[in-house]
Amino acid sequence: MQFAGILSRSSARCIAAASLLANHFLLSKSLRSSITPLLFSPSPLQSTISNGFRPKWGCDRAYHDGRPRGPLWRGKKLIGKEALFVILGMKRFKDENEKLDKFIKTHVLRLLKMDMVAVLTELERQGEVSLAVKMFKVIKKQVWYKPDVYLYKDLIVALARRKKMDDAMDLWQSMRQEDLFPDSQTYTEVIRGFLQYGSPADAMNIYEDMKKSPDLPEQLPFRILLKGLLPHPLLRNKVKQDFEEIFPDQRVYDPPEEIFGLR
């Protein structure tokens, strides 16, 4: 009987140990089954990146490969590295004439045609009109240069908007010597510039030149003159008569004379 009691106690211990091992095995198995999907399934961020940069040919890429994208890059690609270097160099030496002339001889003259035009356009866009004039003079000396009214137009308009009328008229004379006529926008900006500059006589000279243009005139330069010549009734009446002859269906607003102290 004593031996049977000892045997039953040892059997109970074995059964308890086996039960503990079984419970541990089941618990570890359940933990592995719950952790595995977290370790090996793609996260929402990874799936978003993969979907966002999936190329057309079907190969998934879960990262940005560093290549520039978008319209900003497409715009910058139009200007080459050498052209960008020239723009920065000209801006650096713009207040030192000797260094600027030396830089033009050593670097600007080495540019290709498209790079020179790109430098001119970018200088105009940045408002560096004095440098743009220098660049335009360099372009005119190239063997490939042909008279182009649009090269003149952009530069003259940029100068007129900054009230650099002397430089604008120098280009205007050069343009007319090449038998080029500007468009209506160029006439408008130059006329407006002279009126703001306080020189109605020069504005009228441009107006007379506009009447010789082979292109049909537009209303805008007339209306700019009619407004700017209010303090000069004799000049304004002449422009008004021409306007009514060319545009008979249009009306000209005449403000009361006492507003401008003409009485």
Side-chain angles (χ1 to χ4, degrees):
M1 294 296 293
Q2 185 178 2
F3 177 74
I6 294 173
L7 184 59
S8 62
R9 285 197 297 271
S10 62
S11 299
R13 291 194 189 97
C14 291
I15 293 170
S19 177
L20 289 173
L21 289 173
N23 291 334
H24 178 72
F25 175 76
L26 293 174
L27 180 61
S28 62
K29 184 177 180 181
S30 63
L31 288 174
R32 284 198 302 272
S33 62
S34 61
I35 293 175
T36 300
L38 296 176
L39 293 177
F40 298 100
S41 63
S43 65
L45 180 60
Q46 289 176 334
S47 61
T48 302
I49 294 176
S50 178
N51 293 332
F53 293 97
R54 180 173 298 166
K56 296 180 180 179
W57 52 87
C59 178
D60 289 344
R61 183 187 293 117
Y63 59 92
H64 191 291
D65 59 2
R67 293 179 297 179
R69 293 179 172 87
L72 180 61
W73 171 251
R74 287 196 294 271
K76 287 184 176 180
K77 283 203 304 184
L78 298 177
I79 303 178
K81 293 181 179 179
E82 293 186 3
L84 289 174
F85 173 77
V86 166
I87 293 170
L88 294 175
M90 292 183 70
K91 291 172 66 176
R92 178 182 179 185
F93 300 123
K94 65 179 179 179
D95 296 327
E96 304 176 59
N97 292 329
E98 294 183 1
K99 291 184 178 180
L100 180 59
D101 293 338
K102 183 178 179 180
F103 182 83
I104 290 175
K105 293 178 180 179
T106 56
H107 294 90
V108 177
L109 295 179
R110 297 170 52 188
L111 294 176
L112 299 176
K113 173 182 177 180
M114 295 305 298
D115 287 332
M116 284 190 178
V117 176
V119 170
L120 174 63
T121 304
E122 183 63 18
L123 290 174
E124 292 172 356
R125 189 190 67 82
Q126 295 185 17
E128 300 288 348
V129 289
S130 298
L131 293 177
V133 171
K134 283 186 172 291
M135 190 66 209
F136 182 68
K137 291 180 179 179
V138 172
I139 290 176
K140 287 187 63 177
K141 295 179 181 179
Q142 305 306 306
V143 295
W144 46 260
Y145 170 77
K146 294 181 180 180
D148 189 344
V149 68
Y150 293 103
L151 289 178
Y152 278 104
K153 169 191 172 180
D154 294 338
L155 194 50
I156 290 174
V157 169
L159 290 168
R161 288 178 176 175
R162 288 162 180 81
K163 298 182 180 181
K164 295 181 177 293
M165 303 310 299
D166 292 337
D167 295 332
M169 289 312 299
D170 289 340
L171 287 178
W172 189 280
Q173 299 287 340
S174 177
M175 177 183 61
R176 296 296 290 113
Q177 290 174 1
E178 295 181 0
D179 294 328
L180 297 176
F181 282 92
D183 60 0
S184 180
Q185 181 188 5
T186 310
Y187 281 116
T188 301
E189 294 297 336
V190 174
I191 288 173
R192 180 187 284 118
F194 275 124
L195 291 174
Q196 294 177 350
Y197 194 68
S199 182
D202 291 326
M204 289 298 296
N205 290 334
I206 300 299
Y207 169 71
E208 293 296 334
D209 188 79
M210 183 181 69
K211 291 166 61 176
K212 301 175 184 178
S213 175
D215 299 327
L216 294 176
E218 297 183 8
Q219 295 186 33
L220 184 57
F222 282 92
R223 295 193 179 277
I224 294 295
L225 265 174
L226 291 171
K227 181 178 179 181
L229 292 176
L230 283 171
H232 308 278
L234 295 179
L235 296 177
R236 186 176 186 273
N237 288 334
K238 184 178 185 305
V239 176
K240 181 181 177 182
Q241 292 175 2
D242 294 339
F243 180 82
E244 291 175 344
E245 291 178 4
I246 299 173
F247 306 101
D249 298 333
Q250 301 295 322
R251 297 181 59 185
V252 177
Y253 172 71
D254 292 319
E257 294 181 356
E258 61 269 13
I259 293 179
F260 300 95
L262 300 178
R263 283 188 177 180

